[in-house]
Amino acid sequence: KVHKFISDRRYGAFGEAYVYGWFISRIGDLSQEDIKRLGYSSIEEYLAEPFNKGLTKDSKKKFIQWTNFKPNWEVLDKINW
Protein backbone atom coordinates (compact mmCIF):
# COMPACT_ATOMS: atom_id res chain seq x y z
CA LYS A 1 0.00 0.00 0.00
CA VAL A 2 1.26 3.50 -0.81
CA HIS A 3 1.71 5.76 2.22
CA LYS A 4 2.41 9.47 2.43
CA PHE A 5 5.30 10.85 4.49
CA ILE A 6 4.46 13.96 6.52
CA SER A 7 6.88 15.98 8.65
CA ASP A 8 4.81 19.13 9.04
CA ARG A 9 1.03 19.26 8.66
CA ARG A 10 1.23 22.83 7.36
CA TYR A 11 2.77 21.67 4.09
CA GLY A 12 1.36 18.17 3.71
CA ALA A 13 3.19 15.12 2.42
CA PHE A 14 6.82 15.54 1.38
CA GLY A 15 6.69 12.24 -0.48
CA GLU A 16 5.16 8.82 -0.72
CA ALA A 17 6.37 5.24 -0.90
CA TYR A 18 5.12 1.69 -1.11
CA VAL A 19 5.17 0.12 2.38
CA TYR A 20 5.61 -3.63 2.16
CA GLY A 21 6.18 -4.59 5.76
CA TRP A 22 7.30 -3.81 9.26
CA PHE A 23 8.96 -5.51 12.19
CA ILE A 24 9.63 -4.88 15.87
CA SER A 25 13.18 -5.46 16.99
CA ARG A 26 15.44 -4.87 19.94
CA ILE A 27 17.80 -2.15 18.72
CA GLY A 28 20.85 -4.17 19.80
CA ASP A 29 19.69 -7.08 17.61
CA LEU A 30 19.81 -5.06 14.37
CA SER A 31 22.38 -6.40 11.95
CA GLN A 32 25.11 -4.24 10.47
CA GLU A 33 23.16 -4.41 7.19
CA ASP A 34 20.02 -3.10 8.95
CA ILE A 35 22.00 -0.22 10.46
CA LYS A 36 23.45 0.68 7.06
CA ARG A 37 19.95 0.58 5.52
CA LEU A 38 18.89 3.12 8.14
CA GLY A 39 21.79 5.33 7.03
CA TYR A 40 24.16 4.85 9.97
CA SER A 41 27.55 3.27 10.46
CA SER A 42 26.88 1.90 13.95
CA ILE A 43 24.16 1.30 16.52
CA GLU A 44 25.78 3.95 18.72
CA GLU A 45 25.48 6.52 15.93
CA TYR A 46 21.80 5.58 15.46
CA LEU A 47 21.10 5.86 19.20
CA ALA A 48 22.74 9.32 19.28
CA GLU A 49 19.90 10.77 17.17
CA PRO A 50 17.54 13.11 19.08
CA PHE A 51 14.51 10.96 18.15
CA ASN A 52 16.11 8.05 20.02
CA LYS A 53 16.74 10.02 23.24
CA GLY A 54 16.53 7.71 26.24
CA LEU A 55 16.62 4.51 24.18
CA THR A 56 19.29 1.84 24.65
CA LYS A 57 20.38 -1.28 22.81
CA ASP A 58 17.79 -3.17 24.90
CA SER A 59 14.91 -0.93 23.74
CA LYS A 60 12.45 -2.31 21.20
CA LYS A 61 11.32 -0.24 18.25
CA LYS A 62 9.05 -0.65 15.22
CA PHE A 63 10.80 -0.45 11.85
CA ILE A 64 8.83 0.13 8.65
CA GLN A 65 10.04 -1.35 5.36
CA TRP A 66 9.34 0.68 2.23
CA THR A 67 10.48 1.13 -1.35
CA ASN A 68 9.91 3.35 -4.41
CA PHE A 69 10.01 6.69 -2.59
CA LYS A 70 8.63 9.54 -4.71
CA PRO A 71 9.51 13.01 -3.38
CA ASN A 72 7.10 15.94 -3.52
CA TRP A 73 9.57 18.71 -4.37
CA GLU A 74 7.05 21.52 -3.84
CA VAL A 75 6.78 20.54 -0.17
CA LEU A 76 10.46 19.65 0.25
CA ASP A 77 11.45 23.11 -0.95
CA LYS A 78 9.29 24.66 1.83
CA ILE A 79 10.67 22.53 4.68
CA ASN A 80 13.40 24.25 6.63
CA TRP A 81 16.30 21.77 6.72
Side-chain angles (χ1 to χ4, degrees):
K1 183 176 179 184
V2 174
H3 289 267
K4 295 184 184 294
F5 292 82
I6 297 175
S7 69
D8 186 329
R9 295 199 182 273
R10 285 182 300 185
Y11 304 126
F14 66 85
E16 62 184 33
Y18 176 75
V19 174
Y20 62 88
W22 60 272
F23 62 96
I24 295 174
S25 177
R26 187 178 150 275
I27 293 173
D29 291 340
L30 294 172
S31 69
Q32 189 60 36
E33 183 180 327
D34 292 332
I35 293 297
K36 285 184 181 181
R37 254 189 250 150
L38 291 169
Y40 300 93
S41 59
S42 68
I43 290 175
E44 290 74 23
E45 181 183 8
Y46 176 69
L47 286 171
E49 288 287 6
F51 55 80
N52 285 326
K53 185 176 182 176
L55 298 182
T56 68
K57 289 182 179 181
D58 287 326
S59 300
K60 289 185 178 180
K61 197 166 183 182
K62 181 177 184 177
F63 296 91
I64 299 170
Q65 299 167 301
W66 51 271
T67 188
N68 297 331
F69 179 76
K70 295 177 186 172
N72 180 344
W73 290 110
E74 289 180 26
V75 172
L76 284 170
D77 288 340
K78 293 176 186 176
I79 296 174
N80 221 355
W81 298 100

